[in-house]
Amino acid sequence: KFSDSIALIDVCEIIDRAEELGLSAVAFTSLGSVQDFHSIEKTASKKNFKAIYGAEVKYRTEEGDFSATLLVKNNEGLKELYRVLSSLDEEKYIDVCVLKENRKNLLVGSAGYNGELFDKISKKINERKLENLCAFYDYFELYPARFDEDEEVNHQIYSLSEDIGVL
């Protein structure tokens, strides 16, 4: 498994399933860590498969604690990801300023239920604030609904993504 604490299947099984589905790449993310990247790279290289590296990170704002998903675009992005993760504090939160300074080669995702976008839409913030928040993300994430309210928020995120061209 690429993450012993939370992964349900190992990297080889993930790649095999992706190939069955006709995919040429899969993103692997860990929670605030890159410790599994070497074993992922080793397995992906053996199978001649593209692994996209990333991490789910936690950050704080004045209004709360949130998550974002960071995906690496290229080798420079990997270096940027290392810099961002180096800013982790003792409670495992990144410094958002470091992320903003090191995101040229990263894709920043909205992180589903734990993300700020999901939170703000569910709290029905005003449209201007929502537009400003959306500018922070390169892509939006949708997770299966846990509750009826989640379904509505997911629909709003999807509609928003179509409106502003972020998919």
Side-chain angles (χ1 to χ4, degrees):
K1 292 185 266 187
F2 75 95
S3 176
D4 288 329
S5 60
I6 61 170
L8 299 176
I9 58 177
D10 69 19
V11 174
C12 196
E13 289 177 78
I14 293 169
I15 292 172
D16 288 345
R17 181 66 178 137
E19 289 176 330
E20 287 172 17
L21 294 170
L23 302 174
S24 60
V26 169
F28 293 90
T29 61
S30 290
L31 300 172
S33 168
V34 295
Q35 68 185 13
D36 304 310
F37 286 3
H38 178 71
S39 63
I40 293 167
E41 177 60 30
K42 189 174 170 183
T43 303
S45 292
K46 281 183 193 174
K47 295 184 151 289
N48 198 26
F49 192 83
K50 177 158 175 63
I52 301 168
Y53 302 104
E56 184 175 337
V57 295
K58 298 186 302 183
Y59 64 94
R60 288 192 171 105
T61 69
E62 295 162 0
E63 293 124 25
D65 298 353
F66 301 106
S67 293
T69 305
L70 309 179
L71 297 178
V72 170
K73 293 182 188 178
N74 51 37
N75 286 337
E76 274 306 305
L78 192 56
K79 292 175 188 175
E80 292 172 355
L81 180 62
Y82 292 151
R83 283 193 286 273
V84 170
L85 293 176
S86 294
S87 77
L88 285 168
D89 64 18
E90 60 278 345
E91 294 177 1
K92 304 291 186 192
Y93 287 85
I94 63 161
D95 181 332
V96 176
C97 294
V98 174
L99 173 57
K100 289 178 180 177
E101 293 168 2
N102 290 281
R103 64 173 292 171
K104 181 179 178 188
N105 296 288
L106 295 174
L107 295 172
V108 180
S110 64
Y113 310 124
N114 297 321
E116 191 172 6
L117 180 64
F118 192 94
D119 179 72
K120 298 305 184 219
I121 288 176
S122 66
K123 291 179 179 171
K124 301 181 185 338
I125 66 165
N126 74 51
E127 197 166 315
R128 181 174 158 82
K129 285 184 180 180
L130 189 58
E131 287 174 9
N132 288 337
L133 178 60
C134 289
F136 181 68
Y137 300 108
D138 297 299
Y139 66 97
F140 299 153
E141 297 177 57
L142 297 175
Y143 289 24
R146 304 166 297 178
F147 310 104
D148 291 341
E149 301 83 32
D150 292 352
E151 188 74 32
E152 178 58 33
V153 173
N154 278 342
H155 284 294
Q156 290 176 6
I157 291 172
Y158 183 78
S159 295
L160 185 61
S161 73
E162 286 184 317
D163 292 346
I164 64 174
V166 175
L167 299 172

